[in-house]
Amino acid sequence: MFQVLFFIEVGALAKSDAALQRTEPSETRWLLSFDALRNSIQDVAHKAYSYRRRAFYTLTAADFR
């Protein structure tokens, strides 16, 4: 068993969540945004992992087209 880490830049979450763009973000708002985007995040992570296998990935706003 092994572990693969995925990091998501805050810009990727903010790009997809209008509320984060309009207000001062809080930890709660970031977590709500992450939960709302979970399926999309998993799709992007799967695509990145299947393209090239590494120990960690950083997903950016450009990955979420």
Side-chain angles (χ1 to χ4, degrees):
M1 171 89 35
F2 58 94
Q3 182 176 354
V4 178
L5 302 174
F6 287 89
F7 300 97
I8 303 173
E9 290 184 349
V10 295
L13 293 176
K15 176 183 174 184
S16 300
D17 189 331
L20 283 172
Q21 296 172 10
R22 292 189 312 266
T23 62
E24 183 66 30
S26 66
E27 181 178 358
T28 300
R29 187 69 232 159
W30 289 118
L31 292 172
L32 288 171
S33 179
F34 179 88
D35 288 343
L37 296 169
R38 185 178 303 269
N39 289 336
S40 178
I41 292 167
Q42 288 176 332
D43 290 344
V44 170
H46 181 267
K47 183 177 178 182
Y49 182 74
S50 66
Y51 177 69
R52 182 173 173 211
R53 304 228 167 154
R54 301 187 309 201
F56 71 91
Y57 299 83
T58 300
L59 305 178
T60 67
D63 295 315
F64 294 84
R65 296 178 198 164

